[in-house]
Amino acid sequence: MGRAASRSAEAGRIRYFALFAATTVAVLAVCGFLLAASSFDGRTERSQARWPQVADDGSATLLWRATLASVDDRQYDVVYIEPLTPDAPLPPGLSRWPRPGEAVLSPALKAVGPRLSEEYGRAEGTIAAGGLESPSEYFAYVRPTAERWTLRR
């Protein structure tokens, strides 16, 4: 269209470049929209993957309890977990089950400082990027000791 307009009209080159620029802007806008939509879809999928899944047969493989905490006026999720069976699936982002009294923190939360590691137990390990909604997210998995688990109920 731009080529035909540039041959038959006055100021054809200006019209050609204007049409080219408009097409470029339209394509970039559509690409930006698709990129944003896929980014939010991925974040939603990663978030849903770490929340409990209900089994069809009604069997439970782990105890799971989410709570909220805050540090420096920033609120974040803390999930207390306890596997009930040896084949319980690992939460996303973990390479092994934490032992009782251990916590696994996101890299951003771990960078806050040592004061958090004392609150949840020994900070052992870091949650991998695949288990987080975003790289800057504050999130923690905690496997409490038996005494602390009964206090949390």
Side-chain angles (χ1 to χ4, degrees), residues 16 24 33 35 41 43 45 47 52-54 60 63 65 85 100 106 122 127 130 134 137-139 142 146 151:
Y16 173 78
T24 302
F33 173 75
L35 181 65
D41 286 346
R43 188 174 180 158
E45 287 175 12
S47 177
Q53 308 295 315
V54 178
L63 295 176
R65 182 163 191 244
T85 61
S106 67
R122 294 179 314 280
I127 301 172
S134 68
E137 179 185 22
Y138 284 15
F139 189 78
V142 177
L151 292 175

Side-chain angles (χ1 to χ4, degrees), residues 28-92:
L28 289 175
V30 169
C31 288
F33 173 75
L34 293 174
L35 181 65
S38 66
S39 172
F40 283 112
D41 286 346
R43 188 174 180 158
T44 301
E45 287 175 12
R46 288 187 300 274
S47 177
Q48 288 175 345
R50 69 182 181 199
W51 298 106
Q53 308 295 315
V54 178
D56 292 333
D57 61 359
S59 63
T61 58
L62 69 111
L63 295 176
W64 181 94
R65 182 163 191 244
T67 61
L68 294 173
S70 64
V71 63
D72 299 333
D73 295 328
R74 184 170 175 183
Q75 196 170 7
Y76 61 95
D77 292 315
V78 176
V79 176
Y80 292 90
I81 52 175
E82 178 71 33
L84 297 175
T85 61
D87 63 339
L90 279 171

Side-chain angles (χ1 to χ4, degrees), residues 1-16 19:
M1 182 188 300
R3 196 172 312 149
S6 69
R7 286 190 209 128
S8 63
E10 287 183 31
R13 286 187 181 174
I14 292 173
R15 183 173 289 165
Y16 173 78
L19 287 171

Side-chain angles (χ1 to χ4, degrees), residues 79-152:
V79 176
Y80 292 90
I81 52 175
E82 178 71 33
L84 297 175
T85 61
D87 63 339
L90 279 171
L94 296 186
S95 58
R96 66 168 183 86
W97 282 103
R99 292 191 255 332
E102 289 183 350
V104 183
L105 309 176
S106 67
L109 188 58
K110 205 170 201 175
V112 169
R115 63 181 179 209
L116 287 175
S117 58
E118 298 302 319
E119 184 174 342
Y120 303 119
R122 294 179 314 280
E124 297 289 329
T126 304
I127 301 172
L132 300 172
E133 288 181 12
S134 68
S136 62
E137 179 185 22
Y138 284 15
F139 189 78
Y141 286 112
V142 177
R143 185 166 177 192
T145 59
E147 300 84 41
R148 188 166 173 108
W149 187 257
T150 55
L151 292 175
R152 287 283 175 190

